[in-house]
């Protein structure tokens, strides 16, 4: 039998950064049952399959965005009837964060409809970060493009995660956004990574892209020098007034396949079943968890559009035997050791399983 450290190295070998698009397409096009089985086995190697992490969103600055993202209700270029709002005052943010914590959320994600923050905004958002952290919540922000200095400043304020999505493949990107480049997005992700914050990066499906674009998005994410710790997979929320309002429905099984392929390519990342749950039935959400999704946006609102009610999510969790993941401020070394032991044990069980089959 292989020594534990050899098994651990084998585990590490699941982490790849050299995917080709054809390899990703091969994953996508397996029979559905084979893909879901492989994704679930991979999921169990790295995570408790019956725990889901809960993040609550708050829009801290709404609408009037100069960018032209065709999916977005907050762009000033489209008439979506959205009421714009200036940067919120700190008390309103604390209030919302307390409510999120009381509902059982472990992370509070603050989003702003900016192309990028002005330097003058940084002290204000840093104050928000400190106050939300003081409530015992993990913090995340999504404020648009960040310079090196801005990323360092947010990290210094204690921000745990920064969300910045690639949105789609390099090739399809120009069909959706023209006011910033793919390279701009990669640069921001590099600044966030170098600042020491955790990276949250994913995209949107159902925008009229093809499967090769969904594969291209996941390839770009997985081929980053480090996998993002959090990978939100959003189903387009079609908002009247945006150019993508009448886009045709993506096959729900193709959405589930996207989650499963993300799980296989980024085994240790949290894959978030993100926007679009209002349009998904419970069976589809259960399939997404089976495919390896282990995080959701929780509470009644995303940034500007509705999300399922907290109590209906809790009822679904109860029926599926899923529990919300608790946020641990600091893990003790004993806990870290126990986790490693568990991982090695599971790797051994998997190996035995494959030898037997
Ligand atoms: N303005 C900043 C930016 O774009 O970098 C941060 C906020 S922006 C609303 C964050 C992300 O929300 C976008 O990158 C996009 O992936 C997602 N998003 C926006 N509108 C959406 C929609 N209608 N459906 C699904 N996802 C959406
Ligand atoms: C992400 O990937 N999805 C969230 C979060 N990151 C910021 C936003 C979804 C927005 C959906 C449309 C809205 O509510 O405005
Ligand atoms: Fe602005 Fe962000 Fe919406 Fe694009 S996604 S229009 S940058 S708020």
């Amino acid at each position: 039998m292989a020594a534990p450290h050899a098994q651990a190295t084998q585990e590490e070998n699941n982490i790849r950064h050299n995917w080709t698009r054809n390899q990703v397409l091969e994953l996508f096009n397996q029979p559905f049952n084979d893909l879901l089985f492989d994704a679930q086995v991979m999921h169990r190697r790295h995570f408790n399959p019956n725990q889901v992490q809960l993040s609550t969103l708050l829009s801290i600055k709404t609408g009037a965005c100069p960018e032209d993202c065709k999916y977005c209700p907050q762009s000033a270029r489209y008439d979506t009837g959205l009421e714009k709002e200036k940067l919120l005052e700190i008390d309103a943010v604390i209030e919302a964060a307390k409510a999120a914590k009381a509902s059982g959320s472990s992370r509070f994600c603050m989003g702003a409809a900016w192309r990028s923050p002005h330097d003058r905004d940084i002290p204000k958002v840093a104050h928000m970060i400190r106050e939300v952290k003081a409530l015992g919540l993990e913090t995340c922000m999504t404020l648009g493009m960040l310079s090196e200095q801005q990323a360092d400043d947010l990290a210094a304020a204690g921000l745990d995660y920064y969300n910045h999505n690639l949105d789609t493949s390099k090739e399809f990107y120009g069909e959706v956004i023209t006011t910033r480049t793919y390279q701009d997005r990669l640069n921001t992700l590099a600044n966030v990574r170098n600042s020491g914050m955790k990276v949250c990066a994913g995209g949107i499906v159902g925008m009229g892209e093809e499967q090769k674009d969904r594969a291209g998005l996941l390839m770009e994410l997985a081929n980053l020098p480090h996998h993002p710790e959090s990978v939100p997979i959003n189903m387009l929320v079609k908002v009247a007034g945006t150019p993508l309002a009448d886009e045709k429905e993506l096959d729900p099984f193709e959405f589930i396949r996207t989650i499963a392929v993300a799980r296989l390519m980024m085994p240790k990342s949290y894959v978030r079943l993100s926007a679009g749950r209002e349009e998904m039935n419970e069976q589809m959400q259960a399939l997404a968890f089976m495919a390896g999704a282990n995080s959701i946006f929780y509470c009644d609102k995303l940034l500007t559009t509705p999300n399922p009610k907290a109590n209906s999510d809790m009822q679904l969790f109860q029926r599926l035997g899923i529990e919300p993941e608790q946020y641990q401020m600091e893990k003790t070394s004993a806990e870290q050791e126990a986790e490693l032991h568990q991982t090695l044990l599971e790797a051994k069980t998997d190996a035995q399983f494959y030898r037997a089959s």
Side-chain angles (χ1 to χ4, degrees):
M1 195 175 66
H5 72 271
Q7 283 184 0
T9 312
Q10 211 177 320
E11 278 277 311
E12 284 302 315
N13 285 345
N14 290 323
I15 308 293
R16 286 180 48 186
H17 301 274
N18 59 353
W19 293 91
T20 65
R21 194 182 310 243
N22 280 342
Q23 289 170 337
V24 185
L25 286 169
E26 268 174 33
L27 290 179
F28 262 95
N29 288 311
Q30 290 176 82
F32 189 74
N33 286 340
D34 291 348
L35 174 58
L36 250 68
F37 178 81
D38 287 352
Q40 177 64 202
V41 168
M42 184 66 89
H43 189 45
R44 280 166 187 264
R45 283 193 191 160
H46 300 287
F47 291 100
N48 177 335
N50 301 311
Q51 276 189 358
V52 169
Q53 187 274 329
L54 307 181
S55 291
T56 296
L57 281 165
L58 175 71
S59 178
I60 58 170
K61 185 268 166 187
T62 306
C65 183
E67 301 291 276
D68 70 352
C69 315
K70 283 195 180 137
Y71 49 76
C72 187
Q74 303 204 65
S75 167
R77 297 166 193 242
Y78 319 128
D79 183 9
T80 61
L82 184 71
E83 242 176 77
K84 53 185 190 213
E85 226 176 322
K86 288 200 302 229
L87 186 61
L88 292 183
E89 293 301 330
I90 185 77
D91 287 349
V93 176
I94 296 172
E95 198 77 0
K98 280 183 179 164
K101 181 159 174 145
S103 318
S105 208
S106 64
R107 189 177 309 156
F108 194 63
C109 305
M110 294 159 268
W114 284 327
R115 171 178 164 80
S116 55
H118 291 293
D119 286 341
R120 63 170 184 268
D121 298 317
I122 297 293
K124 230 174 157 180
V125 296
H127 189 190
M128 293 175 186
I129 294 164
R130 287 191 296 270
E131 294 288 338
V132 173
K133 265 181 100 74
L135 298 174
L137 284 159
E138 273 186 307
T139 49
C140 177
M141 281 192 167
T142 180
L143 313 173
M145 293 183 286
L146 291 187
S147 67
E148 263 182 67
Q149 185 61 50
Q150 289 174 331
D152 290 347
D153 290 347
L154 296 179
L159 187 62
D160 297 296
Y161 286 81
Y162 194 79
N163 166 245
H164 198 67
N165 290 337
L166 291 179
D167 280 346
T168 188
S169 68
K170 240 180 207 158
E171 299 76 20
F172 192 68
Y173 183 84
E175 301 289 317
V176 185
I177 300 139
T178 69
T179 49
R180 75 174 79 156
T181 65
Y182 213 73
Q183 190 57 47
D184 287 333
R185 289 185 186 254
L186 292 168
N187 293 347
T188 291
L189 290 180
N191 292 342
V192 172
R193 180 55 80 196
N194 292 338
S195 76
M197 288 188 284
K198 291 183 193 151
V199 171
C200 173
I204 311 178
V205 298
M207 298 193 293
E209 78 286 341
E210 292 176 27
Q211 190 182 62
K212 66 176 172 10
D213 299 304
R214 292 184 282 279
L217 165 68
L218 296 181
M219 182 182 78
E220 292 292 338
L221 293 167
N223 288 352
L224 290 169
H226 298 273
H227 292 170
E229 282 79 2
S230 165
V231 180
I233 306 293
N234 297 276
M235 176 78 106
L236 175 70
V237 179
K238 295 178 204 172
V239 180
T242 62
L244 296 183
D246 298 319
E247 199 51 58
K248 78 171 184 351
E249 222 54 62
L250 180 71
D251 175 5
F253 295 129
E254 181 65 16
F255 179 81
I256 301 295
R257 283 179 186 273
T258 310
I259 298 261
V261 175
R263 166 52 63 228
L264 286 169
M265 294 175 71
M266 293 169 277
K268 293 188 171 183
S269 305
Y270 281 78
V271 175
R272 183 173 305 127
L273 169 57
S274 304
R277 288 197 302 118
E278 272 285 86
E279 301 298 320
M280 296 177 199
N281 63 24
E282 293 175 327
Q283 296 87 320
M284 182 170 169
Q285 295 183 57
L287 264 185
F289 296 134
M290 184 67 150
N294 61 345
S295 171
I296 58 168
F297 286 125
Y298 174 66
C299 290
D300 310 359
K301 207 170 173 193
L302 292 165
L303 289 172
T304 66
T305 62
N307 197 41
K309 299 259 172 295
N311 62 2
S312 59
D313 280 341
M314 281 303 140
Q315 279 167 20
L316 177 61
F317 277 17
Q318 220 160 32
R319 289 166 65 203
L320 299 177
I322 288 175
E323 56 179 39
E325 187 186 271
Q326 301 297 316
Y327 168 46
Q328 286 173 291
M329 297 278 260
E330 298 287 341
K331 283 192 177 148
T332 63
S333 57
E335 283 165 335
Q336 284 172 13
E337 208 170 300
E339 270 184 13
L340 180 64
H341 181 71
Q342 181 64 20
T343 308
L344 291 173
L345 212 70
E346 281 164 12
K348 202 167 129 189
T349 318
D350 286 343
Q352 281 166 350
F353 172 80
Y354 282 115
R355 270 201 300 275
S357 59

